[in-house]
Amino acid sequence: MSSRVTSQALSQFLVVTGASNREARRYLEKYKLLEPAIDAYFSEGGSRRSGANLSTGSINTLFDRYKDPESDEITEDGTVRLCGDLGVDLEDVVLLAVAYELKSPHIGRWSKKGWVSGMKSLGCDTLDSLRNALPRLRDKLASDPPYFVAVYNYTFSLTREEGQRSLALDAAMAYWELLIPFGLSGGALKHVSSSPSNIDIRHDNNHCDDTDVDMEDKESCDAGNGWSEKHTEWWFEFLRVKGSKGVSKDTWQMLPEFIRTIDDKFQQHDATAAWPSTIDDFVDWAKEKKLRA
């Protein structure tokens, strides 16, 4: 093995990717650092470890390490220990992606079925391999619009109280405070043209590059023309002023599309479109706020 590749880096690369020793050495020698090497491997067509190469026994053992002894699930206490062992804060946004991948039934809880199938899908069967998968999940959540929306939508059911149709306002705002700035900074919520070809972020992966939009659309892709931190503050202020106690599923799910397509002055908002009434009311409120400013 080349002196430029440490045994630790090689081992971690193999755990995360399931690549051959030869491939691992080649990527590590070329990219020098572990994370860039792993990113390059996947972006160039490498695949995660297949289910056939994973140890179901190891996945089950890892689950049992954190499982509540009086339950069939990992509960809050086990989640705290898991996060400590992974080296992540309980409020780290990447945990929402992990919850989505492992099909967590509720925040801080993990079922064995979701755990096993999710770990296999991620290509992980050890704590180290799960830890090493976190940067990849974090990057994908930040920059991939469809993936961001999938995790974002899953968060609604993940955090909603059982038996309730809406999400409590305090909970909704707490998760918006995590997700909206993260999506804006990473590009998942980057402003795009509101033309029909681009409006649906549930299926669109438009990053406003030269091959995807014309010059007119590129002007609307300018981050300065769209949603900003100021608008997030306005959204929270509006909900408090309105006296909302909960957020409907429709409002929750449509907000990312609204954020990506609305202009910073709200001039392009179509009140006749199928937006939730809360979003229509917010636009009216925001326009009045700008007039009073």
Side-chain angles (χ1 to χ4, degrees), residues 182-244:
F182 190 76
L184 288 172
S185 64
L189 288 176
K190 185 176 181 179
H191 183 61
V192 297
S193 168
S194 58
S195 63
S197 61
N198 292 332
I199 193 168
D200 191 351
I201 66 169
R202 288 165 293 187
H203 304 288
D204 176 46
N205 195 21
N206 188 337
H207 290 278
C208 299
D209 59 32
D210 291 336
T211 61
D212 290 331
V213 293
D214 58 25
M215 291 305 296
E216 182 179 354
D217 283 343
K218 286 179 75 66
E219 292 179 3
S220 67
C221 286
D222 185 340
N225 291 337
W227 189 279
S228 66
E229 181 180 350
K230 172 186 67 177
H231 297 100
T232 305
E233 294 172 357
W234 286 8
W235 174 246
F236 290 161
E237 182 182 349
F238 162 74
L239 292 173
R240 293 189 187 100
V241 169
K242 183 182 178 182
S244 302

Coordinates of all heavy atoms in Angstrom, one line a residue, residues 182-244:
F182 N -30.9 25.6 6.4 CA -30.0 24.5 5.8 C -30.3 24.3 4.3 O -29.3 24.2 3.6 CB -30.3 23.2 6.6 CG -29.3 22.1 6.3 CD1 -28.1 22.1 6.9 CD2 -29.7 21.0 5.5 CE1 -27.2 21.1 6.6 CE2 -28.8 20.0 5.3 CZ -27.5 20.1 5.8
G183 N -31.5 24.3 3.9 CA -31.8 24.1 2.5 C -31.5 25.3 1.7 O -31.0 25.2 0.5
L184 N -31.6 26.5 2.3 CA -31.2 27.7 1.5 C -29.7 27.8 1.3 O -29.2 28.1 0.2 CB -31.7 29.0 2.3 CG -33.2 29.3 2.3 CD1 -33.5 30.4 3.2 CD2 -33.7 29.6 0.9
S185 N -28.9 27.5 2.4 CA -27.5 27.6 2.3 C -26.9 26.5 1.4 O -25.9 26.8 0.7 CB -26.9 27.5 3.7 OG -27.1 26.3 4.3
G186 N -27.5 25.3 1.4 CA -26.9 24.2 0.6 C -27.4 24.2 -0.9 O -26.8 23.5 -1.7
G187 N -28.5 24.9 -1.2 CA -29.0 24.9 -2.5 C -30.3 24.1 -2.7 O -30.9 24.2 -3.8
A188 N -30.7 23.3 -1.8 CA -31.9 22.5 -1.9 C -33.2 23.4 -2.0 O -34.2 23.0 -2.6 CB -32.1 21.5 -0.8
L189 N -33.1 24.6 -1.5 CA -34.2 25.5 -1.5 C -33.8 26.8 -2.4 O -34.4 27.8 -2.2 CB -34.6 26.0 -0.1 CG -35.4 25.0 0.7 CD1 -35.7 25.5 2.1 CD2 -36.7 24.5 0.0
K190 N -32.9 26.6 -3.3 CA -32.4 27.7 -4.1 C -33.6 28.2 -5.0 O -34.4 27.4 -5.5 CB -31.3 27.3 -5.0 CG -30.6 28.4 -5.8 CD -29.4 27.9 -6.5 CE -28.8 29.0 -7.4 NZ -27.6 28.5 -8.1
H191 N -33.6 29.5 -5.1 CA -34.7 30.2 -5.9 C -34.6 29.7 -7.4 O -33.6 29.7 -8.0 CB -34.6 31.7 -5.8 CG -35.6 32.4 -6.5 ND1 -37.0 32.3 -6.2 CD2 -35.6 33.3 -7.6 CE1 -37.7 33.1 -7.0 NE2 -36.9 33.7 -7.8
V192 N -35.8 29.4 -7.9 CA -35.9 29.0 -9.3 C -37.0 29.7 -10.0 O -37.9 30.3 -9.3 CB -36.1 27.5 -9.5 CG1 -35.0 26.7 -9.0 CG2 -37.4 27.0 -8.9
S193 N -37.0 29.7 -11.3 CA -38.1 30.3 -12.0 C -39.5 29.7 -11.6 O -39.5 28.5 -11.4 CB -37.9 30.2 -13.5 OG -39.1 30.5 -14.3
S194 N -40.5 30.5 -11.6 CA -41.8 30.0 -11.3 C -42.6 29.6 -12.5 O -43.8 29.5 -12.5 CB -42.6 31.0 -10.5 OG -42.7 32.2 -11.3
S195 N -41.9 29.4 -13.6 CA -42.6 28.9 -14.8 C -43.1 27.5 -14.6 O -42.5 26.8 -13.8 CB -41.6 29.0 -16.0 OG -40.5 28.1 -15.8
P196 N -44.1 27.0 -15.4 CA -44.6 25.7 -15.1 C -43.6 24.6 -15.2 O -43.8 23.6 -14.6 CB -45.7 25.6 -16.2 CG -46.1 27.0 -16.5 CD -44.8 27.8 -16.4
S197 N -42.6 24.8 -16.0 CA -41.6 23.7 -16.2 C -40.7 23.5 -15.0 O -40.1 22.5 -14.8 CB -40.7 24.0 -17.4 OG -40.0 25.2 -17.2
N198 N -40.7 24.5 -14.1 CA -39.8 24.4 -13.0 C -40.4 24.4 -11.6 O -39.8 24.2 -10.6 CB -38.8 25.6 -13.0 CG -37.8 25.6 -14.2 OD1 -37.5 24.5 -14.7 ND2 -37.4 26.8 -14.6
I199 N -41.7 24.7 -11.6 CA -42.4 25.0 -10.3 C -42.4 23.8 -9.3 O -42.4 24.0 -8.1 CB -43.8 25.5 -10.6 CG1 -44.3 26.2 -9.3 CG2 -44.7 24.5 -11.1 CD1 -45.6 27.0 -9.5
D200 N -42.5 22.6 -9.8 CA -42.7 21.5 -8.9 C -41.4 20.9 -8.4 O -40.8 20.1 -9.1 CB -43.5 20.4 -9.6 CG -44.0 19.3 -8.6 OD1 -43.6 19.4 -7.5 OD2 -44.9 18.5 -9.0
I201 N -41.0 21.2 -7.2 CA -39.7 20.7 -6.7 C -39.8 19.3 -6.2 O -38.8 18.7 -5.9 CB -39.1 21.6 -5.6 CG1 -40.0 21.5 -4.3 CG2 -39.0 23.0 -6.0 CD1 -39.4 22.1 -3.1
R202 N -41.0 18.8 -6.2 CA -41.1 17.4 -5.8 C -40.5 16.4 -6.9 O -40.2 15.3 -6.6 CB -42.6 17.0 -5.5 CG -43.1 17.7 -4.3 CD -44.6 17.6 -4.2 NE -45.2 18.5 -5.2 CZ -46.5 18.7 -5.3 NH1 -47.3 18.2 -4.4 NH2 -47.0 19.5 -6.2
H203 N -40.4 16.9 -8.1 CA -39.8 16.1 -9.1 C -38.7 16.8 -9.9 O -38.0 16.2 -10.6 CB -40.9 15.8 -10.2 CG -42.1 15.1 -9.5 ND1 -42.0 13.8 -9.1 CD2 -43.3 15.5 -9.3 CE1 -43.2 13.5 -8.6 NE2 -44.0 14.5 -8.7
D204 N -38.5 18.1 -9.6 CA -37.5 18.9 -10.4 C -36.2 19.0 -9.6 O -36.2 19.1 -8.4 CB -38.0 20.3 -10.6 CG -37.0 21.2 -11.3 OD1 -36.5 20.8 -12.3 OD2 -36.8 22.4 -10.8
N205 N -35.1 18.8 -10.4 CA -33.8 18.8 -9.8 C -33.0 19.9 -10.4 O -31.8 19.8 -10.7 CB -33.1 17.5 -9.9 CG -31.9 17.4 -9.0 OD1 -31.8 18.1 -8.0 ND2 -31.0 16.5 -9.3
N206 N -33.6 21.0 -10.7 CA -33.0 22.1 -11.5 C -32.1 22.9 -10.5 O -32.5 23.5 -9.5 CB -34.1 23.1 -12.0 CG -33.6 24.1 -12.9 OD1 -32.4 24.5 -12.9 ND2 -34.5 24.6 -13.8
H207 N -30.8 23.0 -10.9 CA -29.9 23.8 -10.1 C -29.5 25.1 -10.8 O -28.5 25.7 -10.5 CB -28.7 23.0 -9.7 CG -28.9 21.9 -8.8 ND1 -29.0 22.1 -7.4 CD2 -29.2 20.6 -8.9 CE1 -29.2 21.0 -6.8 NE2 -29.4 20.1 -7.7
C208 N -30.3 25.5 -11.8 CA -30.1 26.8 -12.5 C -28.7 26.8 -13.2 O -28.0 27.9 -13.2 CB -30.2 27.9 -11.5 SG -31.8 28.1 -10.8
D209 N -28.3 25.7 -13.8 CA -27.0 25.8 -14.5 C -27.3 26.2 -16.0 O -28.4 26.3 -16.4 CB -26.2 24.4 -14.4 CG -27.0 23.3 -15.0 OD1 -27.8 23.5 -15.9 OD2 -26.8 22.1 -14.5
D210 N -26.2 26.3 -16.7 CA -26.4 26.9 -18.1 C -27.2 26.0 -19.0 O -27.8 26.5 -20.0 CB -25.0 27.2 -18.7 CG -24.3 28.3 -18.0 OD1 -25.0 29.1 -17.4 OD2 -23.1 28.3 -18.0
T211 N -27.3 24.7 -18.7 CA -27.9 23.8 -19.6 C -29.4 23.7 -19.3 O -30.2 23.2 -20.1 CB -27.3 22.4 -19.5 OG1 -27.5 21.9 -18.2 CG2 -25.9 22.4 -19.9
D212 N -29.9 24.2 -18.2 CA -31.2 24.0 -17.7 C -32.1 25.2 -17.9 O -33.4 25.1 -18.0 CB -31.3 23.6 -16.3 CG -30.7 22.2 -16.1 OD1 -30.8 21.4 -17.0 OD2 -30.2 22.0 -15.0
V213 N -31.6 26.4 -17.9 CA -32.4 27.6 -18.0 C -31.9 28.6 -19.0 O -30.7 28.6 -19.3 CB -32.5 28.3 -16.6 CG1 -33.2 27.4 -15.6 CG2 -31.2 28.7 -16.1
D214 N -32.8 29.4 -19.6 CA -32.3 30.5 -20.5 C -32.0 31.7 -19.6 O -32.1 31.7 -18.4 CB -33.4 30.8 -21.5 CG -34.7 31.2 -20.9 OD1 -34.7 31.7 -19.7 OD2 -35.8 31.0 -21.5
M215 N -31.6 32.8 -20.3 CA -31.1 34.0 -19.6 C -32.1 34.6 -18.8 O -31.9 35.1 -17.7 CB -30.5 35.0 -20.6 CG -29.2 34.5 -21.3 SD -27.9 34.1 -20.1 CE -27.7 35.7 -19.3
E216 N -33.4 34.6 -19.2 CA -34.4 35.2 -18.5 C -34.7 34.5 -17.2 O -34.8 35.1 -16.1 CB -35.7 35.3 -19.3 CG -36.9 35.9 -18.5 CD -38.1 36.0 -19.4 OE1 -38.1 35.6 -20.6 OE2 -39.2 36.4 -18.9
D217 N -34.6 33.1 -17.3 CA -34.8 32.3 -16.1 C -33.6 32.5 -15.1 O -33.8 32.4 -13.9 CB -35.0 30.9 -16.4 CG -36.4 30.6 -16.9 OD1 -37.3 31.5 -16.7 OD2 -36.6 29.5 -17.6
K218 N -32.4 32.6 -15.7 CA -31.2 32.7 -14.8 C -31.3 34.0 -14.0 O -30.8 34.0 -12.8 CB -30.0 32.8 -15.7 CG -29.6 31.4 -16.3 CD -28.3 31.5 -17.1 CE -27.1 31.6 -16.2 NZ -26.9 30.4 -15.4
E219 N -32.0 35.0 -14.4 CA -32.1 36.2 -13.6 C -33.0 35.9 -12.4 O -32.7 36.3 -11.3 CB -32.8 37.3 -14.4 CG -31.9 37.9 -15.5 CD -32.6 39.0 -16.3 OE1 -33.8 39.3 -15.9 OE2 -32.0 39.5 -17.2
S220 N -34.0 35.0 -12.5 CA -34.8 34.7 -11.4 C -34.2 33.7 -10.5 O -34.6 33.4 -9.4 CB -36.2 34.1 -11.9 OG -36.0 32.9 -12.5
C221 N -33.1 33.1 -11.0 CA -32.3 32.1 -10.1 C -31.4 32.8 -9.2 O -30.7 32.2 -8.4 CB -31.5 31.1 -11.0 SG -32.6 29.9 -11.8
D222 N -31.2 34.1 -9.4 CA -30.3 34.9 -8.5 C -30.9 34.8 -7.1 O -32.0 35.1 -6.8 CB -30.3 36.4 -9.0 CG -29.3 37.2 -8.2 OD1 -28.9 36.8 -7.1 OD2 -29.0 38.3 -8.7
A223 N -30.0 34.4 -6.1 CA -30.5 34.2 -4.8 C -31.1 35.5 -4.2 O -31.9 35.5 -3.3 CB -29.3 33.7 -3.9
G224 N -30.6 36.7 -4.7 CA -31.1 37.9 -4.2 C -32.5 38.2 -4.6 O -33.2 39.1 -4.0
N225 N -33.1 37.4 -5.5 CA -34.4 37.7 -6.0 C -35.5 36.8 -5.3 O -36.6 36.8 -5.6 CB -34.5 37.4 -7.5 CG -33.8 38.4 -8.3 OD1 -33.6 39.5 -7.9 ND2 -33.4 38.1 -9.5
G226 N -35.0 35.9 -4.4 CA -35.9 35.0 -3.8 C -35.9 35.1 -2.3 O -35.6 36.1 -1.7
W227 N -36.4 34.0 -1.7 CA -36.6 33.9 -0.2 C -35.2 34.1 0.5 O -34.2 33.6 0.0 CB -37.2 32.6 0.1 CG -37.6 32.4 1.5 CD1 -36.9 32.1 2.6 CD2 -39.0 32.5 2.0 NE1 -37.7 32.0 3.7 CE2 -39.0 32.2 3.4 CE3 -40.2 32.7 1.4 CZ2 -40.1 32.2 4.2 CZ3 -41.4 32.7 2.1 CH2 -41.3 32.4 3.5
S228 N -35.3 34.8 1.6 CA -34.0 35.1 2.4 C -34.4 34.9 3.8 O -35.5 34.6 4.2 CB -33.5 36.5 2.1 OG -34.5 37.4 2.7
E229 N -33.3 35.0 4.7 CA -33.5 34.9 6.1 C -34.6 35.8 6.6 O -35.4 35.5 7.5 CB -32.2 35.2 6.8 CG -32.3 35.0 8.3 CD -31.0 35.3 9.0 OE1 -29.9 35.4 8.3 OE2 -30.9 35.4 10.2
K230 N -34.7 37.0 6.0 CA -35.7 38.0 6.4 C -37.1 37.4 6.2 O -38.0 37.6 7.0 CB -35.5 39.3 5.5 CG -36.6 40.3 5.7 CD -36.4 41.4 4.7 CE -36.7 41.0 3.3 NZ -36.5 42.1 2.3
H231 N -37.3 36.7 5.1 CA -38.6 36.2 4.8 C -39.0 35.1 5.8 O -40.2 34.9 6.1 CB -38.7 35.7 3.4 CG -38.5 36.8 2.4 ND1 -37.3 37.0 1.8 CD2 -39.3 37.7 1.9 CE1 -37.4 38.0 0.9 NE2 -38.6 38.5 1.0
T232 N -38.0 34.3 6.2 CA -38.3 33.3 7.2 C -38.7 34.0 8.5 O -39.7 33.5 9.2 CB -37.0 32.5 7.5 OG1 -36.5 31.9 6.3 CG2 -37.3 31.3 8.5
E233 N -38.1 35.1 8.9 CA -38.5 35.8 10.1 C -39.9 36.3 9.9 O -40.7 36.3 10.9 CB -37.5 36.9 10.4 CG -36.1 36.4 10.7 CD -35.1 37.6 10.8 OE1 -35.5 38.7 10.5 OE2 -33.9 37.3 11.2
W234 N -40.2 36.8 8.7 CA -41.6 37.3 8.5 C -42.6 36.2 8.6 O -43.7 36.4 9.1 CB -41.7 37.9 7.1 CG -41.0 39.2 6.9 CD1 -40.3 39.9 7.8 CD2 -41.1 40.1 5.8 NE1 -39.8 41.1 7.3 CE2 -40.3 41.2 6.0 CE3 -41.7 40.0 4.5 CZ2 -40.2 42.3 5.1 CZ3 -41.6 41.0 3.6 CH2 -40.8 42.1 3.9
W235 N -42.3 35.0 8.1 CA -43.2 33.9 8.1 C -43.5 33.5 9.6 O -44.7 33.3 9.9 CB -42.5 32.7 7.4 CG -43.2 31.4 7.5 CD1 -42.8 30.3 8.1 CD2 -44.5 31.0 6.9 NE1 -43.7 29.2 8.0 CE2 -44.7 29.7 7.2 CE3 -45.4 31.7 6.2 CZ2 -45.9 29.0 6.8 CZ3 -46.6 31.1 5.8 CH2 -46.8 29.7 6.1
F236 N -42.5 33.5 10.4 CA -42.7 33.2 11.8 C -43.5 34.3 12.5 O -44.4 34.0 13.3 CB -41.4 33.1 12.6 CG -40.6 31.8 12.2 CD1 -39.2 31.7 12.5 CD2 -41.2 30.7 11.6 CE1 -38.5 30.6 12.1 CE2 -40.5 29.6 11.3 CZ -39.2 29.5 11.5
E237 N -43.2 35.6 12.2 CA -44.0 36.7 12.8 C -45.4 36.6 12.4 O -46.3 36.8 13.2 CB -43.4 38.0 12.3 CG -44.1 39.2 12.9 CD -43.5 40.5 12.4 OE1 -42.4 40.5 11.7 OE2 -44.1 41.6 12.6
F238 N -45.7 36.3 11.1 CA -47.0 36.2 10.6 C -47.8 35.1 11.4 O -49.0 35.3 11.8 CB -47.0 35.9 9.1 CG -48.3 35.3 8.6 CD1 -49.4 36.1 8.4 CD2 -48.4 34.0 8.3 CE1 -50.6 35.6 7.9 CE2 -49.6 33.4 7.8 CZ -50.7 34.3 7.6
L239 N -47.2 34.0 11.5 CA -47.9 32.9 12.2 C -48.2 33.2 13.7 O -49.3 32.9 14.2 CB -47.0 31.6 12.2 CG -46.9 31.0 10.8 CD1 -45.9 29.9 10.8 CD2 -48.2 30.5 10.2
R240 N -47.3 34.0 14.3 CA -47.6 34.4 15.7 C -48.7 35.4 15.7 O -49.6 35.3 16.6 CB -46.3 35.0 16.3 CG -45.2 34.0 16.5 CD -44.1 34.6 17.3 NE -42.9 33.7 17.4 CZ -41.8 33.9 16.7 NH1 -41.7 34.9 15.8 NH2 -40.8 33.0 16.8
V241 N -48.6 36.4 14.8 CA -49.7 37.4 14.8 C -51.0 36.8 14.5 O -52.1 37.2 15.1 CB -49.3 38.5 13.7 CG1 -50.5 39.4 13.5 CG2 -48.1 39.3 14.2
K242 N -51.0 35.9 13.6 CA -52.3 35.2 13.2 C -52.9 34.4 14.3 O -54.1 34.1 14.4 CB -52.0 34.3 12.0 CG -53.3 33.6 11.4 CD -53.0 32.7 10.3 CE -54.2 32.0 9.8 NZ -53.9 31.1 8.7
G243 N -52.0 34.0 15.3 CA -52.5 33.2 16.4 C -52.7 31.8 16.1 O -53.5 31.1 16.7
S244 N -51.9 31.3 15.1 CA -52.0 29.9 14.7 C -51.6 29.0 15.9 O -50.6 29.3 16.5 CB -51.2 29.6 13.5 OG -51.6 30.4 12.4

